[in-house]
Amino acid sequence: MIRTNQLKKVYMTEEVETTALAEVNVEINEKEFVSIMGPSGCGKSTLMNILGLLDNPSSGEYFFLDEEVAKYSERKRAKLRKENIGFVFQSFNLIDELTVFENVELPLLYLGRLSSERKKKVNEVLERMGIMHRVNHFPQQLSGGQQQRVAVARAIVGDPKIILADEPTGNLDSKHGDEVMNMLTELNEAGTTIVMVTHSPTYAEYGNRVIHLFDGQIVTENFNEKFYV
């Protein structure tokens, strides 16, 4: 599903050149759950932005669904992104002025789905996430765990092939963090590919593979034995 070859990202200012990613080679197969770990500033978010087609690398190759997309324009990246990728962020990124229903409906609007189809799909996903009773509430009226449930619902409503989760439990207590991880596990077991950035070794173990980044490079890659017995 995803393959990078010698992926590099360099940020330039007038005085400083910063290498965020240095010759990163990674492969993610369909239906995998891959966790990415590393200290702050190691390149995790940069890698996620490139994998999520939010940014282009400075050099190297990036194959997404067998397409070489490293030099795609923003328009071409946006089309691939909205049709194939769901995002879950640490800060939820919900729109305060929209209800729960309207927040979850947004990806379907971008995909041009009919109103009746949108309503049916949003209600199905909200029911699945256990948040249907909050359908007409606004984000500020929800707990952190409920907001992240809405964010996950928004990520999956368009039936993406892959979900990129950037510290999805970072703003949650352990109870709600566990709930989010269980939801991601259920989605993965249903066939959705998951790539997750986390600082938590415990949550990283939910994945079948853990990639460790340091100074923009992959330093270790561990397979979770419980998935390979």
Side-chain angles (χ1 to χ4, degrees):
M1 174 171 277
I2 281 176
R3 179 167 60 87
T4 71
N5 180 37
Q6 301 292 293
L7 204 67
K8 188 173 183 178
K9 183 66 177 181
V10 178
Y11 293 102
M12 303 284 294
T13 66
E14 291 183 0
E15 299 179 353
V16 179
E17 176 181 306
T18 303
T19 300
L21 294 175
E23 300 179 351
V24 169
N25 299 313
V26 66
E27 189 166 338
I28 296 166
N29 299 313
E30 189 176 355
K31 299 183 181 180
E32 272 199 296
F33 189 148
V34 177
S35 302
I36 300 175
M37 297 191 71
S40 297
C42 72
K44 300 188 302 294
S45 293
T46 300
L47 179 59
M48 288 287 273
N49 284 341
I50 293 174
L51 296 183
L53 301 170
L54 297 169
D55 196 5
N56 280 336
S58 302
S59 63
E61 298 175 308
Y62 175 27
F63 293 88
F64 181 78
L65 299 177
D66 295 323
E67 292 186 52
E68 214 294 74
V69 300
K71 301 303 180 185
Y72 268 21
S73 66
E74 169 53 27
R75 175 176 288 187
K76 293 182 75 173
R77 292 202 314 271
K79 184 175 187 299
L80 262 182
R81 190 167 62 235
K82 72 180 182 181
E83 293 175 350
N84 297 286
I85 303 174
F87 294 92
V88 181
F89 302 96
Q90 176 179 349
S91 55
F92 316 135
N93 283 14
L94 300 176
I95 298 174
D96 289 340
E97 294 76 21
L98 300 183
T99 64
V100 165
F101 183 97
E102 292 165 339
N103 267 283
V104 176
E105 183 187 30
L106 270 180
L108 300 181
L109 286 169
Y110 295 145
L111 290 169
R113 303 285 173 82
L114 296 175
S115 176
S116 58
E117 183 184 355
R118 295 198 308 268
K119 182 176 180 180
K120 180 175 183 291
K121 186 65 177 176
V122 171
N123 286 340
E124 285 177 355
V125 171
L126 290 176
E127 191 71 46
R128 182 179 179 184
M129 292 294 107
I131 201 75
M132 189 65 187
H133 62 296
R134 298 288 191 179
V135 63
N136 293 316
H137 287 69
F138 292 92
Q140 307 97 309
Q141 298 173 301
L142 307 178
S143 69
Q146 290 170 335
Q147 289 187 59
Q148 195 61 295
R149 283 174 176 268
V150 176
V152 172
R154 181 185 58 191
I156 67 173
V157 73
D159 296 317
K161 293 180 175 65
I162 184 168
I163 289 178
L164 300 182
D166 193 354
E167 293 285 359
T169 63
N171 285 331
L172 303 177
D173 58 32
S174 60
K175 177 186 175 182
H176 291 119
D178 291 347
E179 288 178 0
V180 168
M181 292 308 305
N182 289 332
M183 282 190 286
L184 291 177
T185 300
E186 289 172 9
L187 291 169
N188 178 244
E189 290 173 347
T192 304
T193 305
I194 308 286
V195 180
M196 177 184 70
V197 163
T198 181
H199 278 101
S200 168
T202 300
Y203 290 149
E205 290 300 315
Y206 278 73
N208 60 282
R209 185 154 52 105
V210 183
I211 295 172
H212 294 265
L213 283 179
F214 187 77
D215 286 349
Q217 296 179 304
I218 294 176
V219 290
T220 61
E221 189 171 349
N222 303 320
F223 290 84
N224 193 331
E225 292 182 359
K226 71 181 181 182
F227 293 95
Y228 299 95
V229 294

